[in-house]
Amino acid sequence: MTVMTELFGGPSLPQERRLVTEIPGPGSRALMARKQAAVADGLSTVMPVFARRAGGGVVEDVDGNSFIDFGSGIAVTGVGNSAEAVVSRATAQLTQFTHTCAMVTPYEGYVEVCEELARLTPGDHAKKSLLLNSGAEAVENAVKIARYHTRRQAVVVFDHGYHGRTNLTMGLTAKDMPYKHGFGPFAPEIYRVPLAYPFRWLTGPENCAEEAAAQVVEQITKQVGVGNTAAILVEPVLGEGGFIVPARGFLPRIADFAREHGILFIADEIQTGFCRTGQWFACEDEGLVPDLITTAKGIAGGLPLAAVTGRSEIMDAAHPGGLGGTYGGNPVACAAALGAIETMRELDLPARAREIEGLMRPRLTALAERYPLIGEVRGRGAMLAIELVKPGTKEPDPAATAALAAACHRRGLLVLTTGTYGNVMRFLPPLVIGEDLLREGLDVLAEALATL
């Protein structure tokens, strides 16, 4: 008879890498056949294994294989899967009610999450929030609010940026395949400007911030018109674009320019927020205080929740009924968010993210010195990446990146690739992962690199 505890994941799950079958195993192969018959092909799969349990720093599949998790469900489970406070609060809420719709009969949990967001997000000004379901929905509403408040239409975004898969957010996103290809036409009044990408700046990283900012200012001034521009939208550290950390000083200059001209500065912190980069929000690294900030992913420990938080006078601009959604701020998701934030505070997860960087970055740098395939190590906190290039050049090598990811997967390390050129391997371990697993995961990465 199966022992009941074997059915549970979460923090009590054995924290070990364990391979007991080939990858994928027979159980995953059988489920994949069912998926191919029932699920749209457009929903791709990073690893062809099906999860059964997860917790701490591991994901266990249906065949009993246990993988070291360097993905966190794309930066969602920073507090770990099935974190105790998340489970207990969400379970308690499930026994009370699952839904009433915050627009019909509101509930305290929605208000509590908005109060926490006002306390946690950058700036000491009065703030209000709107709760939603996904990052794309948050970005879309931030643009709606910015346009309504400013009575302007143009939105400025950046090369390599990613903001979602809805029609508007596909238009805001830079990368064609797989996010935009074949899905147009897209929403109008979106303008793309250069990003300060140090590794690929033609005149060198030392000139990157100043030159890129000057180009942005000129393009907005001459091509868009400051009087037409509602908002400048940017990820403080770019996610799907390749974990690009903009050259220091670039974002403050852009924010200052926006402020001078009545343009709203919107920080997309969907992947960077909630302790991931070593602070509660990545904006804090350069003292940025956005007018609006969008959050999702790590906010609720794995349950679907997102938010737009901003200056009260901006958030209040839209007429009553102009914002909302049936499921936005679902009570169970709000309870989970309160549990996740409680965990972040109690465990001081911003500090833990910095500790993870302190362990991982030197190892990644040593690998870069050994393997010229690695063009750059970059990122902040527990949001790190390596960009792979053809040795001796800066030419992207997506084939090697895919081969490296596959080699890691076969050895029991869950990793994700990203980047405009498909040549970046990103590392997003849960912030609660143990040091032994971190070190072992890096050992696996080194073994995989040696096979290329």
Side-chain angles (χ1 to χ4, degrees), residues 43 117 120 125 176 189 223 270 281 286 303 309 313 315 418 428:
L43 184 73
L117 288 167
L120 292 170
H125 52 276
D176 174 50
E189 288 300 311
Q223 299 180 30
I270 288 159
F281 297 95
E286 292 193 83
L303 274 72
T309 302
E313 67 273 18
M315 294 297 296
T418 191
L428 291 162

Side-chain angles (χ1 to χ4, degrees), residues 22 31 62 78 121 136 171 210 213 259 326 362 401 409 419 423 436 442 451:
E22 71 276 25
L31 283 167
V62 294
T121 51
E210 182 178 346
R259 190 176 306 109
T326 301
T401 309
H409 296 164
N423 69 320
D436 289 347
L442 292 166
T451 68

Side-chain angles (χ1 to χ4, degrees), residues 10-146:
S12 63
L13 195 63
Q15 298 296 291
E16 61 183 12
R17 178 171 63 110
R18 182 177 65 251
L19 298 177
V20 297
T21 71
E22 71 276 25
I23 306 299
S28 284
R29 291 198 301 271
L31 283 167
M32 185 60 71
R34 290 170 56 189
K35 175 182 180 291
Q36 290 169 343
V39 179
D41 286 349
L43 184 73
S44 61
T45 300
V46 171
M47 283 186 71
V49 300
F50 280 73
R52 177 174 64 181
R53 306 188 296 180
V58 298
V59 175
E60 184 183 285
D61 74 6
V62 294
D63 293 294
N65 300 297
S66 180
F67 302 88
I68 299 174
D69 184 6
F70 274 16
S72 297
I74 316 184
V76 168
T77 55
V79 296
N81 261 288
S82 298
E84 183 177 351
V86 172
V87 172
S88 62
R89 284 181 179 256
T91 300
Q93 180 59 52
L94 278 166
T95 65
Q96 294 170 359
F97 58 93
T98 57
H99 176 74
T100 65
C101 184
M103 299 184 298
V104 177
T105 56
Y107 33 86
E108 186 177 6
Y110 192 114
V111 177
E112 284 186 282
V113 172
C114 292
E115 289 170 340
E116 287 284 22
L117 288 167
R119 281 189 284 267
L120 292 170
T121 51
D124 56 7
H125 52 276
K127 303 171 200 165
K128 292 187 177 183
S129 293
L130 170 71
L131 302 186
L132 304 147
N133 302 292
S134 71
E137 194 177 351
V139 171
E140 190 132 348
N141 275 273
V143 170
K144 283 172 57 177
I145 292 165

Side-chain angles (χ1 to χ4, degrees), residues 236-275:
V237 178
L238 277 72
E240 303 302 310
F243 278 33
I244 303 164
V245 181
R248 196 161 192 85
F250 172 74
L251 290 180
R253 180 167 176 189
I254 300 304
D256 288 345
F257 169 77
R259 190 176 306 109
E260 290 167 9
H261 295 282
I263 300 168
L264 299 191
F265 183 79
I266 306 176
D268 180 341
E269 291 250 17
I270 288 159
Q271 191 159 168
T272 55
F274 291 99
C275 313

Side-chain angles (χ1 to χ4, degrees), residues 87-448:
V87 172
S88 62
R89 284 181 179 256
T91 300
Q93 180 59 52
L94 278 166
T95 65
Q96 294 170 359
F97 58 93
T98 57
H99 176 74
T100 65
C101 184
M103 299 184 298
V104 177
T105 56
Y107 33 86
E108 186 177 6
Y110 192 114
V111 177
E112 284 186 282
V113 172
C114 292
E115 289 170 340
E116 287 284 22
L117 288 167
R119 281 189 284 267
L120 292 170
T121 51
D124 56 7
H125 52 276
K127 303 171 200 165
K128 292 187 177 183
S129 293
L130 170 71
L131 302 186
L132 304 147
N133 302 292
S134 71
E137 194 177 351
V139 171
E140 190 132 348
N141 275 273
V143 170
K144 283 172 57 177
I145 292 165
R147 284 174 166 166
Y148 202 107
H149 174 75
T150 62
R151 304 300 184 187
R152 304 172 182 178
Q153 294 184 343
V155 178
V156 174
V157 290
F158 290 83
D159 289 340
H160 309 286
Y162 175 86
H163 301 287
R165 296 175 185 262
T166 60
N167 184 268
L168 175 60
T169 56
M170 281 191 294
L172 299 168
T173 291
K175 189 175 180 179
D176 174 50
M177 183 62 80
Y179 305 118
K180 301 168 67 171
H181 188 75
F183 296 129
F186 303 116
E189 288 300 311
I190 296 168
Y191 299 88
R192 198 169 314 284
V193 295
L195 178 81
Y197 186 169
F199 181 66
R200 296 195 172 276
W201 198 255
L202 291 177
T203 62
E206 67 279 5
N207 301 314
C208 185
E210 182 178 346
E211 291 179 0
Q215 288 184 29
V216 170
V217 168
E218 181 177 16
Q219 286 187 220
I220 295 175
T221 303
K222 303 299 184 185
Q223 299 180 30
V224 184
V226 293
N228 301 321
T229 305
I232 298 173
L233 170 66
V234 67
E235 302 159 272
V237 178
L238 277 72
E240 303 302 310
F243 278 33
I244 303 164
V245 181
R248 196 161 192 85
F250 172 74
L251 290 180
R253 180 167 176 189
I254 300 304
D256 288 345
F257 169 77
R259 190 176 306 109
E260 290 167 9
H261 295 282
I263 300 168
L264 299 191
F265 183 79
I266 306 176
D268 180 341
E269 291 250 17
I270 288 159
Q271 191 159 168
T272 55
F274 291 99
C275 313
R276 175 56 59 180
T277 64
Q279 293 169 302
W280 278 92
F281 297 95
C283 281
E284 298 174 71
D285 184 68
E286 292 193 83
L288 295 170
V289 179
D291 298 299
L292 299 173
I293 182 169
T294 60
T295 54
K297 289 191 181 292
I299 191 174
L303 274 72
L305 189 69
V308 183
T309 302
R311 299 181 185 276
S312 294
E313 67 273 18
I314 298 172
M315 294 297 296
D316 283 344
H319 53 272
L323 305 175
T326 301
Y327 294 106
N330 170 270
V332 181
C334 286
L338 294 170
I341 292 168
E342 175 188 333
T343 303
M344 294 172 204
R345 282 201 180 100
E346 288 186 355
L347 300 181
D348 193 2
L349 291 189
R352 179 57 184 155
R354 296 192 295 271
E355 291 171 0
I356 289 171
E357 180 179 5
L359 189 153
M360 292 190 72
R361 185 182 286 276
R363 289 287 305 275
L364 294 173
T365 300
L367 289 172
E369 292 169 354
R370 182 175 178 183
Y371 296 101
L373 178 71
I374 300 176
E376 185 180 41
V377 175
R378 59 174 177 257
R380 288 213 302 265
M383 185 176 180
L384 300 173
I386 53 176
E387 179 164 355
L388 275 60
V389 296
K390 294 184 178 178
T393 75
K394 289 190 177 182
E395 182 180 349
D397 197 338
T401 309
L404 178 59
C408 289
H409 296 164
R410 288 193 299 271
R411 288 167 170 77
L413 176 64
L414 193 164
V415 293
L416 307 171
T417 60
T418 191
T420 299
Y421 312 108
N423 69 320
V424 176
M425 179 170 286
R426 54 179 162 175
F427 307 108
L428 291 162
L431 303 180
V432 296
I433 192 172
E435 288 194 8
D436 289 347
L437 279 181
L438 272 177
R439 296 181 192 280
E440 186 176 358
L442 292 166
D443 290 342
V444 172
L445 175 65
E447 292 171 9

